[in-house]
């Protein structure tokens, strides 16, 4: 590797049962993390190593010291049928790219969709989306048996990190609430991510409840204190979030209405105020949407991810049309302006995770359905994107970069 080269670690879907217990919605092929080298001059990636076998490692995070990688298993049968999702901790060898498993843990919730760390790397935060399946129970009400439909608990869990980098004890479990527009997709709370800033404020987009939890991590009690719950539009399904360092602004990508929103976070009151709400949908691109809203007579593509450029000016998002949007953020007002739409070639409709390298020169988008990740160069002046290369991977969903220079 050259002096400016680095690594990318990819996770992906195993077999996914979202709405059908017998036939999978996605025939996922990812059963381990994949490590690639990244050319620091061109962004070109080459797979070099595969880690130990893990069930559906669709989300991952790298520790601040670049020594450890943590993966979440988006499944409902980790370790044993019906136990929910799981977590795995690995050491990363910066010289060879090898991954060695330290330990695993239950995630204490189903369908683990997101994993992150606090600024110290001493706490792991996990968003357990929960499945969409239900079970039936009956309970006695005023002397009469009444049916009760049981949903998975959409929850966020907090774990301590052991001295050896392994997953330690569970210290908090916050169960979210809320329902939304779709009778299946929004029947219960579904937290899809959690992000913390350097002041320990946490944003939890709850796509099942059409709301956004604003919390603060209390280091004394090791608990997430709920400060407020912002109610989003009916059927919006907030999904992923991004803080804008040095400002009061938070960016949130909605899933079902596809809109990207900017908010002002009042850190004194612990509340959000909406500033902008913009879309990247291109209705003229017919037949490309991947959606589950037909029963509501809507064909709007899903919104997926949001990432902030290191310059703090450009914002990028993606949707299930295979569109990447470039926005400009006004750092004085928090307003967003749509600058460009880039239609990805050869990646299909179901894009997932986005990441921008620390230099701000490259953006990588994962494509689940055609099993590729695409590298795009970023124009530093305009924010326009140009596809430069791709790499084949097993149903990739998420990636994180690892920098030898920071180790």
């Amino acid at each position: 590797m050259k002096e400016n080269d680095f690594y990318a670690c990819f996770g992906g879907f195993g077999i996914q049962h979202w709405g059908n217990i017998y036939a999978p919605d996605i025939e996922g092929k990812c059963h381990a993390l994949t490590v690639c080298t990244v050319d620091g001059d061109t962004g070109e990636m080459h797979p070099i190593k595969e880690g130990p076998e893990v069930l559906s490692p669709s989300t991952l995070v790298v520790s601040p010291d670049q020594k450890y990688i943590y993966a979440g298993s988006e499944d409902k049968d980790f370790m044993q049928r019906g136990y929910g999702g799981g977590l795995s901790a690995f050491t990363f060898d910066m010289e060879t790219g090898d991954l060695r498993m330290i330990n695993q843990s239950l995630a204490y919730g189903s369908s683990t969709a997101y994993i992150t760390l606090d600024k110290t790397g001493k706490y792991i935060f996990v968003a357990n989306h929960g499945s969409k399946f239900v079970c039936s129970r009956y309970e006695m009400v005023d002397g009469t048996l009444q049916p009760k439909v049981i949903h998975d608990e959409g929850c966020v869990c907090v774990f301590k990190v052991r001295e050896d980098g392994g997953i330690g004890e569970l210290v908090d479990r916050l169960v979210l609430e809320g329902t939304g527009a779709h009778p299946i997709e929004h029947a219960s709370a579904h937290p899809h991510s959690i992000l913390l800033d350097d002041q320990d404020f946490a944003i939890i987009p709850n796509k099942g409840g059409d709301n956004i939890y604003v919390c603060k991590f209390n280091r004394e009690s090791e608990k997430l204190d709920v400060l407020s719950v912002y109610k989003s539009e009916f059927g919006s399904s907030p999904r992923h979030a991004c803080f804008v360092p040095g400002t009061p602004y938070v960016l949130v990508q909605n899933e079902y209405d596809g809109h990207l929103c900017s908010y002002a976070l009042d850190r004194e009151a612990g509340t959000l105020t909406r500033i902008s709400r913009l879309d990247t949908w291109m209705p003229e691109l017919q037949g490309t949407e991947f959606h589950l809203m037909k029963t509501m007579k809507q064909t709007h593509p899903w919104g997926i991810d949001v990432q902030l450029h290191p310059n703090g000016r450009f914002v990028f998002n993606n949707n299930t049309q295979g569109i990447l949007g470039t926005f400009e953020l006004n750092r004085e007002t928090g307003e967003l302006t749509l600058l460009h739409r880039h239609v990805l070639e050869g990646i299909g409709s179901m894009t997932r995770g986005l990441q921008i390298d620390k230099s701000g020169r490259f953006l990588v988008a994962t494509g689940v359905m055609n099993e590729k990740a695409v590298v795009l160069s970023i124009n530093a002046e305009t924010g326009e994107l140009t596809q430069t290369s791709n790499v084949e991977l097993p149903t990739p969903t998420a990636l994180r970069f690892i920098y030898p220079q920071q180790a």
Side-chain angles (χ1 to χ4, degrees):
M1 295 176 64
K2 304 192 306 297
E3 185 176 345
N4 64 336
D5 290 350
F6 50 99
Y7 295 101
C9 186
F10 287 86
F13 278 145
I15 292 175
Q16 293 292 293
H17 292 270
W18 292 346
N20 190 328
I21 198 168
Y22 297 107
D25 294 279
I26 293 181
E27 293 276 4
K29 301 175 183 176
C30 182
H31 307 292
L33 299 179
T34 301
V35 177
C36 298
T37 55
V38 184
D39 188 304
D41 296 319
T42 66
E44 189 172 354
M45 296 184 291
H46 297 281
I48 58 166
K49 294 292 174 75
E50 193 173 87
E53 184 173 341
V54 179
L55 180 67
S56 194
S58 71
T59 176
L60 67 151
V61 66
V62 178
S63 64
D65 61 9
Q66 313 287 286
K67 292 181 179 180
Y68 308 108
I69 298 175
Y70 303 92
S73 291
E74 194 161 349
D75 204 273
K76 57 185 178 59
D77 298 319
F78 190 82
M79 293 189 180
Q80 186 166 314
R81 183 172 173 80
Y83 275 20
L87 310 175
S88 302
F90 306 88
T91 59
F92 181 74
D93 189 315
M94 197 65 76
E95 295 297 323
T96 66
D98 286 329
L99 291 165
R100 180 184 65 82
M101 186 176 291
I102 305 171
N103 73 331
Q104 294 183 304
S105 169
L106 292 173
Y108 294 92
S110 183
S111 300
T112 304
Y114 203 89
I115 184 170
T116 192
L117 293 161
D118 75 318
K119 61 187 177 184
T120 68
K122 299 299 184 184
Y123 293 92
I124 302 168
F125 296 79
V126 178
N128 291 307
H129 178 281
S131 75
K132 299 160 191 172
F133 301 111
V134 298
C135 68
S136 300
R137 293 286 187 271
Y138 283 80
E139 58 183 12
M140 194 68 70
V141 179
D142 296 329
T144 304
L145 277 176
Q146 297 292 332
K148 183 177 183 180
V149 178
I150 308 297
H151 297 271
D152 285 347
E153 292 177 317
C155 62
V156 170
C157 293
V158 185
F159 298 80
K160 297 182 78 168
V161 175
R162 301 186 328 200
E163 288 298 320
D164 65 349
I167 302 156
E169 66 176 308
L170 174 75
V171 294
D172 193 21
R173 186 173 185 267
L174 174 66
V175 178
L176 277 63
E177 298 179 351
T179 59
H182 194 276
I184 296 176
E185 301 297 316
H186 299 103
S188 60
H190 292 308
H192 210 294
S193 61
I194 174 170
L195 263 293
L196 282 82
D197 70 359
D198 58 5
Q199 298 180 51
D200 292 333
F201 285 91
I203 299 293
I204 308 172
N206 175 17
K207 75 173 223 187
D210 288 332
N211 56 40
I212 304 167
Y213 277 64
V214 180
C215 303
K216 190 166 187 182
F217 182 54
N218 185 322
R219 292 187 176 273
E220 291 186 6
S221 65
E222 299 182 313
K223 307 293 182 185
L224 283 166
D225 295 332
V226 178
L227 305 179
S228 66
V229 180
Y230 178 91
K231 187 63 178 175
S232 186
E233 285 79 9
F234 190 61
S236 57
S237 294
R239 175 187 171 98
H240 278 194
C242 180
F243 285 98
V244 182
T247 78
Y249 308 127
V250 177
L251 309 173
V252 176
Q253 176 64 54
N254 293 343
E255 180 170 310
Y256 279 80
D257 73 10
H259 285 71
L260 175 64
C261 303
S262 62
Y263 297 88
L265 171 61
D266 184 330
R267 287 180 167 83
E268 292 295 323
T271 57
L272 292 174
T273 302
R274 168 80 58 75
I275 301 171
S276 294
R277 180 175 180 267
L278 298 173
D279 198 2
T280 53
W281 183 28
M282 294 176 65
E284 62 271 24
L285 286 181
Q286 294 296 317
T288 60
E289 299 89 349
F290 186 98
H291 59 84
L292 291 178
M293 297 295 276
K294 292 180 181 178
T295 57
M296 297 176 64
K297 298 182 180 179
Q298 297 182 19
T299 58
H300 198 291
W302 296 351
I304 303 295
D305 202 1
V306 57
Q307 293 291 323
L308 177 70
H309 192 275
N311 66 12
R313 173 188 167 200
F314 297 130
V315 178
F316 299 90
N317 77 341
N318 59 324
N319 69 16
T320 54
Q321 276 189 308
I323 293 173
L324 298 179
T326 302
F327 298 79
E328 183 172 35
L329 174 69
N330 184 320
R331 293 180 64 85
E332 296 298 321
T333 66
E335 293 182 354
L336 291 167
T337 302
L338 177 61
L339 300 179
H340 313 288
R341 293 183 178 93
H342 178 91
V343 181
L344 286 165
E345 298 177 1
I347 197 169
S349 62
M350 189 58 164
T351 58
R352 294 291 286 192
L354 304 177
Q355 283 291 293
I356 302 167
D357 81 300
K358 67 176 184 178
S359 74
R361 297 174 58 199
F362 308 110
L363 180 147
V364 178
T366 58
V368 175
M369 297 308 193
N370 71 343
E371 301 189 89
K372 290 181 182 177
V374 174
V375 180
L376 303 100
S377 64
I378 303 172
N379 186 306
E381 298 298 322
T382 67
E384 288 185 277
L385 299 170
T386 303
Q387 287 181 227
T388 59
S389 62
N390 62 67
V391 60
E392 294 186 359
L393 295 159
T395 47
T397 56
L399 73 146
R400 292 293 184 269
F401 295 119
I402 308 166
Y403 299 101
Q405 304 88 348
Q406 293 180 203

